[in-house]
Amino acid sequence: MRKDLTRIETISLRGRLHYYTRFGRPVSKVTMPPYRGLEYYRPGQLLGYIRWQAGEYGSRLWRFMILRTVSFTGKSPSHQVEGVSPGAYIILDVEGALKVRAAMNVIDQIENMGIDPAEVSPAYYGHLHQRILTNQPYHRYSMEQHQSFRQEGEISV
C-alpha cells in the first residue's frame, strides 16, 4: 500500500472483540481471515471508528471516535490512536454505552436525512463531542447546515 494512506485495523471476534468503521470511504480494504482486516484512507477523510470489548460481566470497553486522516507532511496535527497508523486527528471521542449510543443516534439521524456521515461538517462533530461529554443538549444537524458547509468547501477549493 502507498505510504501516504492511513491504515485502520479491523477485528471481529464474535462476542469478545469488535473494532470496525461505522462510516467512511476507504480507498481499499484487505481481509485477513479469519477475523482481521485493514482499511486504507486518503488524507483528509472523515471516518467513524468503533472499539468494543467484552469482559467477564459484559462490555469492558465501548468507544466511538470520529477521526480525520492526516497528510504525512509532518505539518498536520495528529493523535496516536490504537489501531490507526500512523495516527489521525480526533474530532469526537466518547466512551461508555450511553455516550456511544447518543453519538450513534446522531449518525443514524444524519443517514436518515440522506447525508453520508463522512461528508458532515467537522465543526458539527466537534460541537457534538463537547455536548455529549458534558451531558448537554446538542443541535441536530440540518440540511441547511450541510448545504452551507458543502458550498463553503466549493468556494475554498
Side-chain angles (χ1 to χ4, degrees):
M1 262 302 114
R2 294 184 353 215
K3 291 183 180 183
D4 62 336
L5 299 177
T6 298
R7 186 184 73 213
I8 308 292
E9 295 178 17
T10 60
I11 301 172
S12 184
L13 289 171
R14 187 179 178 138
R16 297 202 47 223
L17 180 74
H18 294 282
Y19 298 170
Y20 62 98
T21 55
R22 170 65 167 78
F23 64 84
R25 284 189 240 123
V27 174
S28 68
K29 292 183 178 184
V30 177
T31 303
M32 300 181 307
Y35 57 87
R36 298 187 74 151
L38 298 172
E39 295 181 4
Y40 293 90
Y41 291 82
R42 287 191 177 94
Q45 291 188 293
L46 293 182
L47 63 106
Y49 189 44
I50 296 176
R51 297 175 60 83
W52 176 87
Q53 293 178 5
E56 190 173 335
Y57 301 105
S59 292
R60 191 176 88 192
L61 168 71
W62 199 359
R63 184 176 184 189
F64 175 63
M65 294 172 278
I66 295 179
L67 308 172
R68 181 190 309 210
T69 58
V70 296
S71 67
F72 296 87
T73 61
K75 297 178 183 177
S76 300
S78 67
H79 303 103
Q80 294 294 314
V81 178
E82 188 177 347
V84 179
S85 179
Y89 184 75
I90 300 172
I91 298 172
L92 179 144
D93 187 3
V94 292
E95 285 190 53
L98 293 177
K99 289 180 169 96
V100 170
R101 281 192 188 114
M104 290 295 106
N105 287 337
V106 172
I107 300 300
D108 290 341
Q109 292 167 2
I110 289 169
E111 288 177 331
N112 289 337
M113 293 170 54
I115 299 172
D116 180 350
E119 295 180 1
V120 167
S121 165
Y124 175 75
Y125 287 136
H127 158 78
L128 185 63
H129 169 81
Q130 293 299 325
R131 294 301 193 144
I132 289 175
L133 285 182
T134 58
N135 295 317
Q136 298 294 314
Y138 51 85
H139 303 288
R140 291 177 68 116
Y141 194 67
S142 68
M143 189 58 76
E144 294 79 20
Q145 185 177 3
H146 185 65
Q147 289 169 345
S148 176
F149 169 68
R150 299 295 294 166
Q151 287 174 349
E152 181 182 297
E154 290 171 9
I155 293 169
S156 65
V157 171

